[in-house]
Amino acid sequence: MASTQASEKSMSEKQRLKLEKFTNKKEKQAQQAQQQQQQPNGVAKEKKSKKQDVPAVKSKDWVEETPAGQKKILKPLEDDFHKAYIPKVVESAWYSFWEDQGLFKPQTEKNGSLRPKGKYVIAIPPPNVTGKLHIGHALALSLEDTLIRWHRMRQFSTLYIPGCDHAGIATQAVVEKQLARHPKNGKSKRQDFSRPEFVQLCQDWKEDYHREINKTTRRLGVSVDWSREAFTMSPQLSKAVTETFVQLHSEGLIYRANRLVHWSCRLSTALSTLEVDQKELEGTTKLDVPGYDKKIEFGTLTYFKYPIEGSDQTIEVATTRPETMLGDTAIAVHPQDDRYKDFVGKTAQHPIIPDRKLRIIADEYVEREFGTGAVKLTPAHDHNDFNLGKKHNLPFINILNEDGTLNSNAGHYAGEKRFNARYGVIEELKKLGLYTKQEPNKMVVPICSRSGDVVEPLLKPQWWMRMEPLTKPAIDVVESGELIIRPELRKRQYLQWMRNLQDWCLSRQLWWGHQIPAYYISIEGEDGGDDTNDDYWVCGRTEGEAQEKAEKKFPGKKVTLKRDEDVLDTWFSSGLWPFSTLGWPDKTLDLENYFPNTTMETGWDILPFWVSRMIMFSLKLTGKVPFTEVFCHGLIRDSDGRKMSKSLGNVVDPIDILDGISLDALYQKLLEGNLAQAEVKNAEKYQKKAFPQGIPEVGADALRFSLVNYTQASGSDINFDVKTMHGFRRFCNKIYQATKYVLGKLGDDFVPRESSALTGKESLPEKWILTKMNTAANQINQALEEREFARSTQIIYRYLYDELFDIYIENSKSIISDSTPEEARSAMDTLYTTLESGLRLMSPFMPFLTEELWQRLPRRPGDNTSSITIAEYPEYESSFDDPRSETAYELVLGCSKGIRSLIADYAVKDKGVAYIVPLNQMSHDTASAQLAAIKSLSGKTSVDISILKAGEVSPTGCAVFPVSADVNVYLEVKDRIQDAGKEAEKVKAKLDEARKDQDDIDSLMAELSKVQDKVVTEAMQSAESRKQDVEARLRALEQTFTMFERMKV
């Protein structure tokens, strides 16, 4: 980590952001180039094969004949279902084969030890069993499985652990909502069932969606080890939960206390911070609140007065929650506020609760500028007031029942709904002459994400965990680099969160979940103790153990136990996930071999709520980090940049992308869900806009590749667009058709050489493509190592599409058909090597397509590898590295491209005259030696090509195509143009573009020159090369512009 720290010191934040912006811009430009190529009219090469690329049959008619678990029966490529790429046809049968062959289990040495390269382990972030997987899950699974398959092919002992989370509050909420809509035997509420009956309903729901989740996971080709599948409420994981609670309670880290919690009146439970949405209001706003017929007003500051006892004075306060004044126990002012210095120490009389007195206290916490400068305090119903109440020893009066009605402490408002009481209190204050005014006020309203209810701070005895002793070790491992969090921004957010962590409320008032293993002690003959007093509670792994502890605590007394009915916060069990899935607290072989995990890949939004707890739990309970790396991907948003939400209709089922779905069917799925009618209309509106023709069949490989391609190293959020995904389906077809072509060229009798080693007889195009293949292997491995997912897909795309298919395969046709048998065989060997390696490079991204095509290729003698899944991943091979040949062939390609472009620009149909103008001796020698190749690649139009000497004056009466800093190409056009002025204008536009490129490069290089860093050095080298090309382009264009200007005269 020393080099990382050094780079942080040498690079300012401004410079780092500029470099990041430059990198992101390059990534986006590469993505845009890919997407443009994927447009139907953007791929000229595909036009020739258009008829054969369009399937003549429909995927729904395909019937797979291969028995489940067996190796797929490969049908002839001339078969109607195999003439073109059809995702369903290609994807069928392979997954059951992989699974049956045990290919997803960790590959170990014969003695069971890990392979020499070591282990690579990911425990899947467990999806909630609340419903089906959505596109966000597909993103995570695609990234994780890419890493898993990449490591498996690199011969690591690789383990990918699947599983699901019981998702306590989320699952219970959807089951209760479902009951309300569809009563069971006349029962529509949880309370209509016994606890075991309701838990069974949740279990049934879990089983249904667990099957759906696993089905989708398999359809996506995710290579998890199903024999190790975990569930947070399984007996083994429940054992881990109980052990953790009992152990931490015995150490004093878990304790009982009466404190404020986030309370959902609708769900009758405490909530975690993650389950509370903060709705920002600019001012007075009416909101829908469950259980109320009319909208309730928020964002209004209400002013009223409290009478001062024993005088005719009053003190004015302001509040956005008038109903809470029924629980007020004090008024606070700032000690230096001269307006109220004579009030401090006096007592105010509550105007509605006759026997309630309110102390007036001074505290620097009070903001003098807000409202009147005097603050009403409700310690039992406000988090800030709670702290002041503790500090000043104020009474804590709870006025709220758990169902959102007011209790007897609210006087004659007892039994009223809280927001009905709000309006009642205002009217009563008006009658008493104590109401002053109302005004709009910016505020944040806490909303329960599960029910839409307004969350209330509620004083309640709960189980809490002390966080302070756990945070320091969890901070230290990240700061030391023992555990790496990527990207850097997320690391900073994690550290900020950990330094401000409050104690964690563990209790949830639910039935579905892990019932807390704590027991309240009652002593015969004695009054019941205080429920908040930890002394009257014991914890045990079993009730028998708890009974023994209770008898030991109160020797000689008869004690009875009652188990706490609450369950634990879901994050408690999921916080144990990395090691509970491997058998902890038992000392298992899996725990010994595969813990710590290697990578935790997840969305950045749950970094503080889940990842931080896994780190703290693991360090405390195992003494080890849970994993050595965290990578946080961005969140998927819809095409408008909005967060995915069922109520917006923009949550997409991956299966609908895999198989395609009509707009009508999408709408039908809305009707079958739990959405309110207003939400259905809103969702339908988005669906019509985003998917006017429905969603086309994309397939698993194109979906996976798209999602990985979307993922920037910066972890920025992703705007989802199904058109991009469908574009990558066309890329899949390109791979399919190219492989079909190669198979046809090789023939049925082709036997590959024993190895891919060079023979020394390779032609220049072969040396070029082998160098490109080698470069791609090196760069993809490096990109994946650095978690530059988008870059890795851009590299493999460029290698296959641009270099192998569009250039080498096209150019090899003439070599195979027109050369000697020895040259033709060499070209075919290279064709095999570069395609077979390309499929292996692509395999982690597109497992189905690559397996289907790789299985059709012949194996090298002695290679008995059963599946591409476990084939070796290509690595950099120095013998293939031939930069001189690469440069030479790039010049050939650049010159031929320039000639084709100029011929097209000037619509040359008859014989043209072209000139190659080398700018140095090396390019002259290369062009001279490869003139025949340049001519053959310059198109069908007859062209007379001459090569000038290095440094020779450029020809006149010609248009120019600047190739690079080494060479320019000219086409004679003096007799083909009508208006030299128009030509000059065209060149001027190109000049302006070149000058802008030059300014951008100069600006970038000026920034980069200020920093000494490896990444910057590479960027500087790239910029320097671009600068030389642009300067050469400018010189050539300026000369041509001057020439056309003279021709005007």
Side-chain angles (χ1 to χ4, degrees), residues 17-31 712-716:
L17 291 172
K18 284 204 172 189
L19 177 60
E20 188 175 283
K21 186 177 179 182
F22 166 70
T23 305
N24 289 342
K25 183 179 179 182
K26 283 177 66 180
E27 286 180 336
K28 287 180 180 177
Q29 286 172 342
Q31 285 177 325
Q712 306 284 350
S714 61
S716 54

Side-chain angles (χ1 to χ4, degrees), residues 16 44 106 109 241 379 394 400 410 537 629 650 792 850 854 897:
R16 186 190 66 75
E109 299 295 281
V241 168
L394 301 176
L400 197 64
W537 288 89
E629 171 202 23
N650 58 3
S792 69
T850 52
W854 188 82
K897 178 184 176 182

